Amino acid sequence: MSGGTVVLAYSGGLDTSCILVWLKEQGYDVITYLANIGQDEDFEAARKKAESLGAKKVFIEDLRAEFVEEFIWPSVQANAIYEDRYLLGTSIARPCIARRQVQIAKQEGAQYVSHGATGKGNDQIRFELTCYALYPEVKIIAPWRIPEFYNRFRGRKDLMEYAEVSKCPNPSCTVGYCSPISLLLILINHAPSDLFLMTKSPEDSPNVPDMVEIKFNKGVPVMVTHLKEGTTKTTPLDIFSYLNELGGKHGVGRIDIVENRFIGMKSRGIYETPGGTILYHAHLDIETFTMDREVRRIKQDLGIKFSELLYNGFWYSPECKFLRHCIAKSQENVEGKVQLSVFKGHVYILGRESPGSLYNEELVSMDVQGDYDPCDASGFIKINAVRLREHHRMEREAQLKQ
Amino acid sequence: MSGGTVVLAYSGGLDTSCILVWLKEQGYDVITYLANIGQDEDFEAARKKAESLGAKKVFIEDLRAEFVEEFIWPSVQANAIYEDRYLLGTSIARPCIARRQVQIAKQEGAQYVSHGATGKGNDQIRFELTCYALYPEVKIIAPWRIPEFYNRFRGRKDLMEYAEVSKCPNPSCTVGYCSPISLLLILINHAPSDLFLMTKSPEDSPNVPDMVEIKFNKGVPVMVTHLKEGTTKTTPLDIFSYLNELGGKHGVGRIDIVENRFIGMKSRGIYETPGGTILYHAHLDIETFTMDREVRRIKQDLGIKFSELLYNGFWYSPECKFLRHCIAKSQENVEGKVQLSVFKGHVYILGRESPGSLYNEELVSMDVQGDYDPCDASGFIKINAVRLREHHRMEREAQLKQ
Amino acid sequence: MSGGTVVLAYSGGLDTSCILVWLKEQGYDVITYLANIGQDEDFEAARKKAESLGAKKVFIEDLRAEFVEEFIWPSVQANAIYEDRYLLGTSIARPCIARRQVQIAKQEGAQYVSHGATGKGNDQIRFELTCYALYPEVKIIAPWRIPEFYNRFRGRKDLMEYAEVSKCPNPSCTVGYCSPISLLLILINHAPSDLFLMTKSPEDSPNVPDMVEIKFNKGVPVMVTHLKEGTTKTTPLDIFSYLNELGGKHGVGRIDIVENRFIGMKSRGIYETPGGTILYHAHLDIETFTMDREVRRIKQDLGIKFSELLYNGFWYSPECKFLRHCIAKSQENVEGKVQLSVFKGHVYILGRESPGSLYNEELVSMDVQGDYDPCDASGFIKINAVRLREHHRMEREAQLKQ
Amino acid sequence: MSGGTVVLAYSGGLDTSCILVWLKEQGYDVITYLANIGQDEDFEAARKKAESLGAKKVFIEDLRAEFVEEFIWPSVQANAIYEDRYLLGTSIARPCIARRQVQIAKQEGAQYVSHGATGKGNDQIRFELTCYALYPEVKIIAPWRIPEFYNRFRGRKDLMEYAEVSKCPNPSCTVGYCSPISLLLILINHAPSDLFLMTKSPEDSPNVPDMVEIKFNKGVPVMVTHLKEGTTKTTPLDIFSYLNELGGKHGVGRIDIVENRFIGMKSRGIYETPGGTILYHAHLDIETFTMDREVRRIKQDLGIKFSELLYNGFWYSPECKFLRHCIAKSQENVEGKVQLSVFKGHVYILGRESPGSLYNEELVSMDVQGDYDPCDASGFIKINAVRLREHHRMEREAQLKQ
């Protein structure tokens, strides 16, 4: 007699394989679900492992296109970045993955969902807030927060033993495509370079830059062209994959940071976001080029707020939906081309052009007066100084009194 | 009979040499003032030129130490950056230079100050707001905004002719140390690499990184150490000069951007800020490591506002003074060491340590429970989901009604 | 021979009558334009006066409906308020008036527009920014900023004499409907009560409250009902006029403030905004009732920014347009009814109801658990305390070191 | 054998009396603690009741002076208000009360603290975050979140029966001074007027206003004077009590709102804050009068953030401490006198004066030019229009293309 059906976010790795077996042990029927968001993984091997461990049903879903279009593109529009440095790769993936999991749960009549995220991290929150937002009645089983589970499996060794007893095909330690290499090292230790999966070390990267042009429309890339080779990509997934590859080749997008988790701890994170880093710089450039200064300033604040929401797991919240709408609105005229080079870990913006730019060569020229009267600047400055001079007057009076 | 005394911000270049002569022509006594803020300049040659052109008095002032300590350090504390990219090199220099100019004007009994900034740029504003704020009665002569002047000198050729007639020793085109190479090119043109004065091209920079450790106290650098060579710098000016040199050697801090001027135009700016770029990254790192998340979030907004004020010329304003105070307060516990490498145009943070870090290894460890109960996270997530579930309920109800 | 055609914003009062004559004296053809935005004015008398003073053409335009719908309603949605107190009555009227003036100028082929606003106030800015934004080539004649004019007319007496000589029918001092009574008194003097035109003194107002119900849809009022008398108003203009009358009867909406002008001065303002005050309170109530907390928080910031823009005259700016769009989006579910009473200068919210409220009686009830598990709050609190406890730990360590 | 010692926040009412007995039943030694923050209460009766119910020790602490000086005054400086309407009376009291409770716990060697706040409200959070922040090792017993307790006492009837069995002297339902009357009514129901304890109904309040003058120094009131009667109060507690009395007499400070709780629910709150309302208006006035516009704008945002923190219980957090520091800094020149009248539920500002005001009569005068050149305004406006005209140009170009 089943205790109900669980849809388990399954990676094929050691943790979730053990969780699969343990859930069955607790009396649940287990459906495994593995999302392909671009990670380098043997999906068929994962399917077989899940089946051999007793999964009632196995879902392997290719979410790559929707991940890029519905989750990464809005983040590019927002210049999403957490605490000035982290490009939110993992954060953005979670709602995409959990959304499909919840759809499967509803369609399969499962009352439960489960995942292998730890009890101290951000991913549990990103995952579960999405589930609650889209399927409010769902019940969530988070084994790493259940004492019976975490007291039984206190380390990798316990899991390995359990896997062996469960006749689990020896699980490889898979790491997702966009999933950062988030590990804890003694802080002052420098990250070993074999940590990185997508990016070459800048020291070993090519000695010649690659130059590309990215074309934007409404704030999202619609075409990337290699300026020398002429290679062109035009679908979202192709564009993003190409930039990932290019950035990876040149060692772009590695960071080693300390970040503030939503639960109130600081943790060290080492991430690589090659394609995201290129797009971040290119979008910043075309945006400033085509957007009014004050709209940009307001939108900057909205982007910071948006980034916090992503980091904290609130993609599916009324406020995040509202912000996505406002940010998309701000991008209506963000179109044009940015030329850039990638070289030895760095992205260099080389130039830009746009049919709808607010940049006005004649206006800004030092040689042409155009419609601009320099005398106006005197009045502008003097009126801006009214307040400053008053302040000075008052300070002087205050000093005289003493 | 003199029309009054003017203190002219004199660079020794063509523009201000012509202005000097022109001011005398208009009947003013002219005192020239040249600030040394670190630019590569032959100050004695400039003195002689000013004297030969009829300056009544010549001031050459070494402001380097106060520039670093009183202007650059607060900007480092603030992570000051304009429109997400520009490190404000020039903007910060203006109030420092103008402050001294105003002091000289007061001390010499001059009613006027003058400068060679153009009528479309930001520098005229930064310069003049400082003057008005510190010397409200001052009168400012900005020749490039006076029709008699700018209609007479419509280009470099006119100035050259005038210089010749005035027997001006042929002026070299000097460019300041921190002053960016801000030029206007057709936007899509890539910046020629001989534009840069302080930085090597990353393609020609060393193939081996340099690693340094920067020690911070109260958010400002107090020591820099080359990890291999053991070189150590401890005064503000030495630290900053050393980082400039190091960054320059590795091609760090070049940007090509379009920015929004205060007067409402977009303009292209090409800047190099080698030392500032290294400090920006190092300070961000030590700050996030030692500062509470929510204090950081508030301070981030203050820093953005502060950066705008710098860019727009409001260093000497009540609000900027207020912000400097608040930001300095936030830095009280920002102390520790950051290790980083500079290589081929990029800065890599390698690690950090601090006696007063909020980073708690035990708390964050995946293997140690510590004082943290993972079950609490379930409650945390569920309460955070209350609002999201209500929203979903309401949306469902709204759909059912339709 | 005409020096060109000017469209003059004409009030029928002394100032603009003199300006009309003066403009003709300068050689212009003058078209007068008087907007009816609800003020108590004899428009036909104004027309005759303009004609008798030599206006080439006279436009009297009833803008009341568009003023309420296109300008006041978005401000209600935004809870627009400047510096926490001023409901922006005048500020909102200016772009509405200037928009029509510019349309007339274009249609009549006039190259110039003119107005009677002073050179120290906000209205000149609100007026002219609108003109420049909608008709960038226009030339603006602001006599109160032209030395020949303001040196000739140094006070009311000079104007009166000029009016007499010009055979100007003696101008009454008209004051607009929404236009505040903004006067300068010695600051500590209390405003005399005969200053107010729309509102009764609360001391003389009825001793019995009136109760009304305001129905909102998408954040704007769509019906007002007097709860006792059953009176009902349903068009925007009728609703707003009715609330003005009702508020006026009860002395609602009088304020005496010091405000910060855009040009950097502080000035005292005494305003009465009866209908606007009622709507401000009612809208705040229905909005908080129906809007998600975090959306509200973001929208609050947008509303503050929006209010500043209105005050400073930037209605027709890209950023204000962007904000109006975002704010309108936030109002999609702001619907329902608010009951309130007005009595002796104050507005009391009595209750509210909404079909789409996020208020959930069962959830919030102290007697019903509902779907809410109080135990979750413990986890929520403990996780929120992680950061605070860490901070305490660090402070303790810092103390021990000393 | 004792299970440990608990310091219980005891009100003398039914709930906490039952909790006292229940805690003893669970094996704890119970110390009761009752804070006097100004509520109308028979403290000696409460002491006797606690003793008769078996309290091991009884603390009754007069916190009124520190409550006003250390908690209310900073909130006045901040213009603290939650969601534009709620003056945070209760929110501010919690950290004051909990701070003393924690001091007692430490001094008495108690490992536990307990309170009677419900599991759905804000007070549990405000209370507990303070405890954790100041005494991180403390254990908190919140009976209304413990199933054994809340399942046993499902309503007032259960508590009454338990009280009887426990021989609890029949507890009166005491309501604190500053504690709001927060009750849940069907939302559209109008609040009955006998709900209010401190304020008269405006309909029954005097027909003649009272006029007072409040003198501020560094943003806090230092003297209040009744303008007619000459009554004067000069200590913080006296000033605040007097204003409470005065506001209460005139029915000032009643609100009926829906608010967003920290835990994500909306709830209705009916509050009365007579003295706080007067101070809110008076402080807003003197602050705008004496503070630079841009400092005010920055400080406004800090105040909004501060208010959220108070509401959510984060008084003792690093960010709240930082904000208090910044806000206090902004108040350095906020000094002067505000004259106001209170009448029929409303506060009217009548005038203000200050030795350090930025208000400059000559500057703002319409008749005196002073140091101000109106022509400067033309340049100011034109430069501000540069951006708007560019935007218009681009829109026109975009239209032409279509």
Side-chain angles (χ1 to χ4, degrees), chain A residues 266 291 297 308 346 368, chain B residues 120 266 291 297 308 346:
Chain A
K266 288 188 185 295
M291 192 180 281
R297 184 62 192 88
E308 273 181 1
H346 204 74
V368 188
Chain B
K120 287 181 170 176
K266 288 188 184 293
M291 192 181 280
R297 183 64 191 86
E308 274 181 359
H346 204 74

Side-chain angles (χ1 to χ4, degrees), chain A residues 217-236:
Chain A
N217 193 20
K218 304 200 177 201
V220 297
V222 292
M223 184 159 75
V224 58
T225 309
H226 191 287
L227 288 179
K228 204 164 178 184
E229 301 167 4
T231 326
T232 283
K233 304 290 173 185
T234 53
T235 72

Side-chain angles (χ1 to χ4, degrees), chain C residues 82-85 118-120 124-125 128-129 132-134 136-137 144-145 147 150 184 186-190 202-203 209 211 256-258 260-268 284-285 288-289 291 293 296-297 300-301 304 308 314 316-319 321 339 343-346 348-353 358-359 361-366 368-369 372-375 377-378 380-382 384-385 387-389 391-392 395-396, chain D residues 82-85 118-120 124-125 128-129 132-134 136-137 144-145 147 150 184 186-190 202-203 209 256-258 260-268 284-285 288-289 291-293 296-297 300-301 304 308 314 316-319 321 339 343-346 348-353 358-359 361-366 368-369 372-375 377-378 380-382 384-385 387-389 391-392 395-396:
Chain C
Y82 182 64
E83 294 189 336
D84 291 321
R85 297 190 289 182
T118 70
K120 286 181 170 175
Q124 55 177 345
I125 309 172
E128 297 182 20
L129 289 182
Y132 285 131
L134 300 180
E137 304 80 12
W144 287 117
R145 294 201 311 261
Y150 66 70
L184 293 157
I186 306 302
L187 286 176
I188 200 65
N189 280 3
H190 302 172
E203 298 190 38
M211 283 193 269
D256 176 331
I257 63 172
V258 167
N260 287 296
R261 291 192 189 157
F262 188 23
I263 53 166
M265 297 168 181
K266 289 189 185 291
S267 72
R268 187 184 191 181
L284 258 188
D285 196 67
T288 313
F289 191 46
M291 192 180 281
R293 181 185 71 202
R296 191 201 174 285
R297 184 65 191 86
Q300 181 180 4
D301 279 348
I304 291 172
E308 273 180 1
F314 287 89
Y316 285 107
S317 66
E319 66 272 28
K321 190 175 162 192
Q339 298 190 346
F343 177 62
K344 294 279 178 195
H346 204 75
Y348 298 89
I349 300 297
L350 303 172
R352 74 289 291 166
E353 59 184 330
L358 286 158
Y359 186 91
E361 215 149 317
E362 191 187 283
L363 180 59
V364 84
S365 156
M366 282 187 283
V368 188
Q369 247 18 295
Y372 179 87
D373 181 353
C375 304
S378 306
F380 180 70
I381 297 169
K382 288 203 78 176
N384 271 299
R387 217 166 38 81
L388 312 186
R389 294 163 87 192
H391 185 73
H392 189 270
E395 284 195 326
R396 201 154 40 183
Chain D
Y82 182 65
E83 295 189 335
D84 291 320
R85 296 190 290 181
T118 69
K120 286 181 172 175
Q124 56 177 343
I125 308 173
E128 298 182 20
L129 288 183
Y132 285 132
L134 300 180
E137 304 81 10
W144 288 118
R145 294 200 310 260
Y150 68 69
L184 293 157
I186 306 302
L187 286 178
I188 200 65
N189 279 3
H190 303 173
E203 299 191 37
D256 177 331
I257 63 171
V258 167
N260 287 296
R261 291 190 189 158
F262 188 24
I263 53 167
M265 297 168 182
K266 288 188 185 295
S267 72
R268 187 185 191 179
L284 259 188
D285 196 67
T288 312
F289 190 46
M291 192 180 281
D292 172 79
R293 180 185 72 202
R296 192 201 173 285
R297 184 64 191 85
Q300 182 181 3
D301 279 347
I304 290 173
E308 273 180 1
F314 287 89
Y316 285 107
S317 66
E319 66 272 27
K321 192 176 160 191
Q339 298 189 346
F343 177 62
K344 294 279 178 193
H346 205 74
Y348 298 88
I349 300 298
L350 303 172
R352 73 288 292 167
E353 60 183 331
L358 286 159
Y359 186 90
E361 216 149 316
E362 190 187 285
L363 181 59
V364 84
S365 157
M366 280 187 282
V368 188
Q369 246 17 297
Y372 179 88
D373 181 352
C375 303
S378 306
F380 180 70
I381 296 169
K382 286 202 79 176
N384 271 299
R387 217 166 37 81
L388 312 187
R389 294 164 87 192
H391 185 73
H392 189 270
E395 283 195 329
R396 203 154 37 182

